[in-house]
Amino acid sequence: DLDLAAADVARSAFGHAGQKCSAASLAILVGSVADSKRFERQLVDAVTSMRVGLPDDPATQMGPIIEPANGKLLTALTKLEKGERWLVEPRKLDEDGKQWTPGVKTGVREGSYFHLTEFFGPVLGIMHAKDLDEALRLQNAVDYGLTAGIHSLDSEEVATWLDRVEAGNLYVNRGITGAIVQRQPFGGWKRSSVGPGAKAGGPNYLIGLGSWRSQPGGPASSTLHLRGLDSRITALIESAQSSLAYESFEWLRRSALSDALAWDREFGQVRDVSRLGVERNLFRYRPVPVEVRATDDAALQDLLRVVIAGVRSGAKFVISTPVGVPADVRRALGDLDAPVFLESDDEWLQRMLRQDDASDGVALPASDRVRLVGGRDGVAALRAKLATASAGDPDLAVYDGEVTAAARIELLPFVHEQSISITAHRYGNLDLWSSDVI
């Protein structure tokens, strides 16, 4: 729907003068839409008809920016790169440079400064893609991943996009700003996230605000059955049976059952807790690669408990330990295609931080999530080494809490949270076209 798309692009780009964290900075026109004069005309009309003014005027639709435009934003508002042209050229309306009319530049090229830079201001860049695959490549090329949207009435296109786009909040056939707590829990991926990345307004937000430890004891079990578990997890637990005391084996078994229950009830589900009908607001978890590093004082059951959570999540993970694991366990890990490295702390840091790819003397992590396993002192020392070696890299999320039996605590390092909002009506008439998309 080209008319609706033009209105939503303009609203997403220039609401709050483009300085909202979720504002659209790029629009990628796919296939025939790239040559559509109708879409271009509608977008230009939507942008140029916006009332720009001060907030004390009730008619104002776009207010001033927070401070005079300078640096990269001023460059974006006043200069064009090779191949670009103004579809709507922005104008400065005051001497200070805080009030601007919205600007739209087209012809933005892949890999250009405007493509890869966040500007946070009233300027929108338009890119062209021959098909959805190319559009996804352009969209995912940026370092950030807070919000992303698609306008399409083709359910297969939408399903493909939802499966491959790299952002924390996704929007289908609507604007990409204005997230509401619970409906669209808010938080991004990649550099739009620091630390664990639990979404504000989501079910796991409080977990990152505290520390957690296992409750000692618990009801005794009359059986050691492994029924109800994934066969891969069963094989891993059985491989460790001869190496674990009864209490440790029982704790590991109950932890795995906790994961299975949590996965069936929540982590493996797509939920719409708001149930608005005319808008589908979905919440789901997506697997993410993790580096699991044990210290030399790590207990075998703790390492295996973390690995079990990784297997249950479906995430890719690498195991690193300074001491060997029992042969049966090593074979079981091999059957899981889980790489196991026997290496010192320094060797692990060199491999994990890819020293050969270092830029300006700062090492770059091969994975953006690390789960440390071991005793309190060993983990604290390793965490300090990691912080020094990575120069406190904010792109690296380190999970260093005590290993617990709780599924919600141990599964979270292996998953991204993602919110999806899909318009399920056509101009007020309920439309279930997307019901089979996800």
Side-chain angles (χ1 to χ4, degrees):
D1 187 325
L2 299 181
D3 297 340
L4 183 62
D8 283 340
V9 167
R11 190 179 304 112
S12 300
F14 302 116
H16 302 269
Q19 294 201 311
K20 196 174 181 67
C21 60
S22 53
S25 57
L26 290 170
I28 303 170
L29 309 186
V30 185
S32 61
V33 180
D35 300 317
S36 171
K37 294 301 180 183
R38 177 180 177 180
F39 177 79
E40 181 178 299
R41 184 172 61 251
Q42 293 294 75
L43 180 61
V44 169
D45 183 65
V47 172
T48 56
S49 62
M50 281 185 170
R51 176 76 175 267
V52 180
L54 296 174
D56 58 3
D57 181 353
T60 293
Q61 294 173 288
M62 192 185 92
I65 56 178
I66 195 67
E67 63 180 2
N70 62 80
K72 63 181 182 180
L73 177 55
L74 183 61
T75 298
L77 287 165
T78 57
K79 298 184 184 302
L80 295 172
E81 293 183 76
K82 184 178 180 180
E84 297 175 353
R85 66 178 177 87
W86 289 113
L87 200 58
V88 179
E89 186 169 4
R91 293 180 292 109
K92 187 171 71 170
L93 300 180
D94 65 349
E95 290 186 4
D96 293 337
K98 294 175 68 176
Q99 280 190 277
W100 293 77
T101 62
V104 180
K105 60 176 64 176
T106 189
V108 175
R109 297 183 176 183
E110 180 176 4
S112 67
Y113 183 64
F114 198 95
H115 175 203
L116 301 178
T117 306
E118 293 278 358
F119 294 103
F120 290 104
V123 59
L124 172 72
I126 294 181
M127 305 184 74
H128 295 166
K130 66 178 183 295
D131 54 31
L132 186 58
D133 287 338
E134 183 179 3
L136 276 160
R137 190 183 74 246
L138 297 174
Q139 190 169 44
N140 290 336
V142 299
D143 289 334
Y144 299 89
L146 183 55
T147 61
I150 186 173
H151 260 274
S152 174
L153 299 178
D154 184 321
S155 60
E156 291 186 6
E157 285 185 348
V158 172
T160 297
W161 182 80
L162 289 173
D163 186 56
R164 293 167 53 189
V165 67
E166 298 170 0
N169 280 66
L170 309 182
Y171 298 92
V172 178
N173 294 334
R174 53 152 288 173
I176 68 169
T177 62
I180 297 174
V181 170
Q182 184 172 294
R183 289 190 196 175
Q184 301 109 13
F186 196 64
W189 291 9
K190 300 191 288 188
R191 287 195 169 184
S192 294
S193 172
V194 175
K199 285 180 171 292
N204 305 302
Y205 192 57
L206 292 180
I207 289 177
L209 303 181
S211 57
W212 305 84
R213 63 178 183 271
S214 288
Q215 180 78 18
S221 174
S222 59
T223 176
L224 292 179
H225 76 81
L226 298 174
R227 294 188 301 273
L229 296 179
D230 185 301
S231 60
R232 299 169 301 167
I233 294 174
T234 299
L236 181 60
I237 295 176
E238 288 178 339
S239 73
Q241 188 167 5
S242 62
S243 303
L244 296 176
Y246 169 83
E247 293 80 6
S248 298
F249 183 85
E250 164 66 357
W251 177 81
L252 198 60
R253 181 188 73 90
R254 291 174 61 184
S255 299
L257 291 171
S258 172
D259 287 354
L261 187 63
W263 194 264
D264 288 341
R265 292 184 176 180
E266 178 173 350
F267 286 86
Q269 302 296 318
V270 179
R271 298 195 175 279
D272 183 353
V273 298
S274 302
R275 299 190 177 186
L276 297 179
V278 295
E279 184 177 73
R280 301 177 63 207
N281 291 298
L282 311 174
F283 184 87
R284 68 177 179 179
Y285 298 88
R286 306 287 277 170
V288 59
V290 176
E291 186 89 16
V292 178
R293 171 64 182 177
T295 62
D296 55 10
D297 61 351
L300 176 62
Q301 67 266 22
D302 286 347
L303 177 60
L304 293 181
R305 195 274 168 272
V306 170
V307 170
I308 286 169
V311 174
R312 176 63 278 179
S313 71
K316 295 180 180 180
F317 57 88
V318 173
I319 303 165
S320 174
T321 174
V323 295
V325 296
D328 289 345
V329 174
R330 184 68 180 254
R331 282 191 291 270
L333 291 172
D335 292 340
L336 293 171
D337 293 325
V340 180
F341 290 90
L342 183 62
E343 53 195 353
S344 67
D345 287 348
D346 290 341
E347 290 170 334
W348 170 66
L349 289 169
Q350 185 172 14
R351 176 184 58 79
M352 200 273 295
L353 294 174
R354 299 187 312 202
Q355 300 286 356
D356 55 323
D357 290 341
S359 175
D360 297 328
V362 177
L364 304 174
S367 174
D368 61 5
R369 292 197 178 189
V370 172
R371 179 59 166 110
L372 301 180
V373 180
R376 180 178 300 178
D377 292 341
V379 166
L382 184 54
R383 183 182 60 217
K385 285 185 179 181
L386 178 57
T388 300
S390 65
D393 185 359
D395 292 332
L396 188 63
V398 180
Y399 296 78
D400 61 355
E402 177 182 320
V403 176
T404 73
R408 184 175 290 276
I409 304 296
E410 300 305 332
L411 285 170
L412 283 177
F414 295 93
V415 292
H416 276 314
E417 298 177 356
Q418 192 173 60
S419 299
I420 303 168
S421 186
I422 304 175
T423 296
H425 69 89
R426 292 280 290 156
Y427 299 100
N429 299 309
L430 192 63
D431 187 345
L432 303 179
W433 72 277
S434 71
S435 58
D436 294 330
V437 168
I438 186 171

